[in-house]
């Protein structure tokens, strides 16, 4: 179609102007004018500088915790049925819990109890009883693998929530391999606070203290306190931190504290334990350490509590972040850490801009030399293409990395290919003796189908890269995917409009192509 209505031309020009306006915030420090959407492209780790952390999920600790939990379940199930056992112990090396029957007559009852327990936990383990009465409950390898995979997925989500709570901009969090997590933090050159947040499991439980808190007896565990002492804490968990609904840092009597709010189950457990134990100390345990042990002065039935201690504003806020984000299913350790300084990031930006600018100038010069006026119109479309890519990235506040800049440069090359195809088609029609208007119309018509087909296949390929890729691959695919859309617009709509308007005003007898 070689006719553009006034409304259509105004629409194209308005879209180009909007793209320019969306790009402006990237080159301004203050939002002006005020009505302009203040969205900017964020720079990635390789351009802005920051920190890189490689974390590993401690799957051995996860397996050990599962065995301890299984041992506790077996003890409770046997006691509830009035059955006994001798020498029960968990063996992490063989992933099993073993014990001896108290009496041969209890074999059938023990087997029935364990089978019922197996059904309750989705057949996670196998049970065997020897003729001598030795019982072994072994965790299945498939169950361990599934639990490990779930733990890594859950750890990624909790890491994301913890980092988002700190206000870090554009973090990249992704799985690597079976048990590792990559964390990239642009703009954060000192990641010590982040490491402390991520290195804390944040498993909080509430326990009663033993009658004699300085002496360990069966059913209790000696745990360290914040002041260096050790206290005997009763093993049963009265309230689990998993039942927390919210946690916030607050001021209480002029000191920083952490205010807790429980969900329905947690509120019921909290009310029950505080009602039955008025006047007794109540230990709050975080990752195996007693952080405080206040005395229960009265029943607490509102489902709210407070952790007080020697908190600073930062430590109270960090603890609240940890509790809100939830406990990690297993500890995380920092396997690798790298910091990229701002100067290196600036050097990367300069190198990226230099390559992008050089490539753009070479392409512009090539088009001018080989196609003259039509090459000039292609260069205008190319510039608008670059502006529109930046506008879309700004609108969605996307993160730009060096691979993303490479994707933009490649997009410009693809856009030039489309313009070359159109110009060569028009040249071919001129050589066949067609009149200027017919040559333009036929050239565009024949080139359009080829351009759409080639860009459609490239679009699908890079969408798959974006969906299944990670890190640099994803950013590279993002810029090219956006660039394909802007290329189709600038090549098939904008450049065609410029050529048509030129032809309508000059009516040349010969095309300058």
């Amino acid at each position: 179609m070689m006719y553009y209505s006034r409304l259509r031309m105004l629409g194209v020009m308005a879209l180009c102007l909007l793209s320019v306006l969306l790009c402006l915030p990237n080159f301004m420090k203050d939002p002006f004018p005020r009505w302009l959407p203040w969205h900017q492209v964020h720079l990635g780790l390789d351009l802005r500088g920051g920190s890189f952390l490689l974390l590993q999920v401690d799957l051995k600790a996860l397996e050990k915790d599962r065995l301890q939990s299984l041992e506790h379940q077996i003890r409770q199930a046997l006691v509830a049925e009035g059955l006994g056992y001798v020498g029960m112990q968990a063996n992490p090396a063989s992933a099993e819990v073993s014990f001896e029957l108290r009496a041969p007559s209890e074999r059938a009852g023990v087997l029935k109890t364990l089978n019922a327990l197996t059904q309750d936990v989705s057949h996670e383990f196998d049970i065997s009883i020897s003729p001598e009465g030795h019982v072994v409950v072994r965790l299945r390898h498939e169950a361990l693998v599934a639990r490990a995979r779930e733990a890594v997925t859950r750890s990624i989500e909790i890491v994301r929530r913890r980092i988002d709570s700190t206000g870090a901009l554009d973090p990249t969090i992704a799985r690597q391999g079976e048990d590792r997590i990559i964390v990239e933090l642009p703009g954060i050159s000192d990641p010590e606070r982040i490491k402390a947040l991520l290195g804390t499991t944040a498993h909080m439980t509430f326990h009663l203290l033993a009658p004699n808190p300085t002496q360990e007896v069966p059913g209790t565990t000696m745990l360290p306190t914040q002041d260096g002492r050790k206290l005997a804490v009763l093993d049963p968990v009265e309230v689990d931190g998993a039942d927390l609904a919210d946690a916030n840092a607050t001021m209480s009597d002029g000191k920083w504290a952490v205010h807790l709010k429980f969900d329905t189950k947690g509120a019921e457990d909290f009310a029950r334990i505080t009602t039955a134990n008025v006047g007794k100390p109540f230990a709050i345990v975080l990752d195996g350490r007693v952080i405080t042990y206040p005395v229960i002065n009265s029943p607490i039935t509102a489902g709210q509590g407070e952790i007080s201690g020697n908190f600073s504003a930062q430590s109270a806020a960090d603890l609240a972040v940890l509790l809100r984000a939830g406990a990690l299913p297993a500890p995380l350790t920092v396997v690798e850490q790298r910091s990229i300084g701002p100067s290196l990031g600036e050097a990367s930006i300069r190198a990226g801009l230099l390559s992008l600018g050089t490539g753009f100038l070479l392409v512009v010069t090539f088009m001018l030399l080989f196609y003259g006026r039509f090459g000039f119109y292609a260069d205008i479309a190319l510039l608008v293409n670059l502006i529109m890519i930046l506008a879309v990235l700004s609108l969605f506040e996307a993160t730009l990395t060096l691979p993303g800049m490479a994707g933009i440069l490649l997009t410009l090359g693809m856009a030039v290919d489309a313009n070359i195809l159109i110009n060569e088609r028009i040249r071919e029609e001129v050589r066949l003796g067609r009149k200027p208007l017919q040559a333009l119309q036929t050239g565009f018509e024949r080139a359009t189908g080829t351009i759409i087909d080639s860009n459609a296949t490239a679009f699908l390929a890079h969408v798959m890269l974006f969906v299944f890729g990670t890190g640099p691959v994803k950013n590279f695919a993002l810029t090219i995917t956006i660039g394909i859309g802007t290329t189709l617009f600038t090549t098939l709509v904008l450049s065609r409009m410029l050529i048509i308007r030129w032809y309508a005003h000059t009516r040349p007898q010969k095309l300058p192509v």
Side-chain angles (χ1 to χ4, degrees):
M1 183 178 178
M2 301 305 292
Y3 171 74
Y4 274 67
S5 65
R6 187 180 300 273
L7 181 61
R8 191 178 180 189
M9 286 190 294
L10 288 176
V12 173
M13 294 173 64
L15 186 57
C16 295
L17 179 60
L18 178 62
S19 299
V20 173
L21 292 177
L22 289 173
C23 287
L24 286 180
N26 294 288
F27 307 100
M28 302 167 61
K29 292 185 178 180
D30 297 316
F32 179 83
R34 298 289 178 180
W35 53 265
L36 186 67
W38 196 250
H39 299 297
Q40 293 177 304
V41 175
H42 300 297
L43 300 180
L45 185 67
D46 50 0
L47 297 178
R48 186 180 176 188
S51 297
F52 170 92
L53 298 174
L54 180 60
L55 308 173
Q56 186 169 30
V57 182
D58 190 348
L59 299 182
K60 291 294 184 183
L62 179 70
E63 182 178 328
K64 181 180 178 181
D65 289 344
R66 179 67 188 103
L67 280 174
Q68 290 178 344
S69 174
L70 177 60
E71 180 184 1
H72 181 66
Q73 287 177 304
I74 294 174
R75 290 180 188 272
Q76 286 187 321
L78 294 177
V79 170
E81 297 295 330
L83 300 170
Y85 54 86
V86 178
M88 183 178 294
Q89 62 179 357
N91 186 358
S94 56
E96 64 184 28
V97 176
S98 61
F99 61 93
E100 304 289 336
L101 293 177
R102 182 178 58 181
S105 59
E106 295 183 344
R107 174 189 294 269
V110 169
L111 186 59
K112 180 180 178 181
T113 301
L114 293 179
N115 283 329
L117 184 62
T118 302
Q119 295 175 358
D120 291 340
V121 292
S122 302
H123 306 283
E124 281 192 45
F125 45 81
D126 296 313
I127 305 167
S128 63
I129 303 179
S130 68
E132 295 78 18
H134 182 67
V135 183
V136 175
V137 181
R138 182 175 292 105
L139 283 170
R140 293 179 177 174
H141 176 72
E142 298 81 2
L144 290 174
V145 171
R147 185 173 289 270
R149 189 182 300 114
E150 179 185 354
V152 175
T153 301
R154 186 179 167 201
S155 296
I156 291 174
E157 180 59 30
I158 292 173
V159 166
R160 188 181 306 279
R161 277 185 284 180
R162 290 185 182 182
I163 291 179
D164 288 345
S165 298
T166 66
L169 291 175
D170 303 303
T172 299
I173 304 166
R175 179 197 294 261
Q176 184 186 73
E178 292 295 325
D179 60 349
R180 294 189 175 189
I181 302 172
I182 291 176
V183 179
E184 293 182 353
L185 304 169
I188 297 180
S189 57
D190 183 13
E192 293 305 319
R193 182 191 172 207
I194 302 294
K195 286 171 59 180
L197 287 176
L198 301 184
T200 303
T201 306
H203 182 210
M204 186 173 67
T205 53
F206 296 77
H207 304 254
L208 292 171
L209 287 185
N212 183 2
T214 60
Q215 182 178 359
E216 183 176 13
V217 296
T220 66
T221 302
M222 298 296 290
L223 297 179
T225 63
Q226 300 234 13
D227 56 8
R229 295 188 300 156
K230 285 193 174 183
L231 296 176
V233 177
L234 294 179
D235 289 337
V237 176
E238 305 296 346
V239 184
D240 199 316
D243 299 324
L244 273 177
D246 196 10
N248 292 286
T250 183
M251 290 290 291
S252 178
D253 298 328
K255 295 182 179 180
W256 282 100
V258 178
H259 181 76
L260 307 177
K261 184 177 180 180
F262 292 90
D263 60 15
T264 302
K265 180 180 182 303
E268 292 176 355
D269 291 342
F270 208 67
R272 172 183 53 78
I273 194 65
T274 54
T275 300
N277 294 277
V278 174
K280 296 181 180 179
F282 198 34
I284 303 175
V285 179
L286 181 68
D287 292 343
R289 179 182 293 272
V290 179
I291 56 176
T292 185
Y293 46 99
V295 174
I296 303 173
N297 295 321
S298 61
I300 302 174
T301 59
Q304 299 185 22
E306 189 175 273
I307 303 176
S308 58
N310 296 322
F311 290 117
S312 62
Q314 186 67 67
S315 61
D318 287 349
L319 180 56
V321 166
L322 292 172
L323 297 180
R324 279 199 306 271
L328 289 166
L332 293 177
T333 55
V334 178
V335 177
E336 181 182 350
Q337 174 184 342
R338 297 198 304 267
S339 293
I340 300 175
S343 59
L344 184 57
E346 291 175 0
S348 299
I349 293 175
R350 285 195 300 270
L353 291 177
L354 179 61
S355 61
L356 186 60
T358 303
F360 184 79
L361 288 176
L362 290 175
V363 168
V364 167
T365 304
F366 172 84
M367 294 301 292
L368 286 174
L369 291 177
F370 279 80
Y371 298 105
R373 178 179 289 274
F374 285 9
F376 173 70
Y377 292 147
D379 290 340
I380 294 176
L382 202 62
L383 178 60
V384 174
N385 193 1
L386 182 60
I387 292 173
M388 293 185 75
I389 293 174
L390 185 59
V392 175
L393 292 173
S394 301
L395 182 63
F396 294 99
E397 296 186 316
T399 301
L400 182 64
T401 63
L402 275 177
M405 296 183 74
I408 293 176
L409 185 56
L410 180 57
T411 298
L412 297 180
M414 294 166 62
V416 169
D417 288 343
N419 282 282
I420 290 175
L421 184 59
I422 291 174
N423 290 332
E424 288 297 329
R425 285 289 189 181
I426 294 174
R427 274 184 176 178
E428 183 179 343
E429 297 304 318
V430 171
R431 285 196 295 266
L432 292 174
R434 294 186 185 274
K435 293 181 180 181
L437 183 58
Q438 292 178 327
L440 288 176
Q441 185 169 351
T442 307
F444 270 106
E445 286 177 354
R446 291 188 175 181
T448 297
T450 305
I451 292 172
I452 291 177
D453 289 345
S454 62
N455 280 277
T457 54
F459 180 82
L460 292 175
H462 288 94
V463 166
M464 292 300 101
L465 280 178
F466 181 81
V467 171
F468 297 107
T470 57
V473 174
K474 186 183 287 285
N475 202 255
F476 177 79
L478 174 65
T479 53
I480 292 187
T481 303
I482 294 172
I484 289 173
T486 57
T487 295
L488 290 176
F489 172 80
T490 55
T491 302
L492 301 180
V493 178
L494 179 60
S495 62
R496 179 184 293 194
M497 186 187 77
L498 293 174
I499 293 174
I500 290 173
R501 294 308 301 166
W502 164 79
Y503 179 84
H505 280 85
T506 60
R507 298 288 179 175
Q509 299 298 315
K510 184 178 180 181
L511 295 179
V513 65

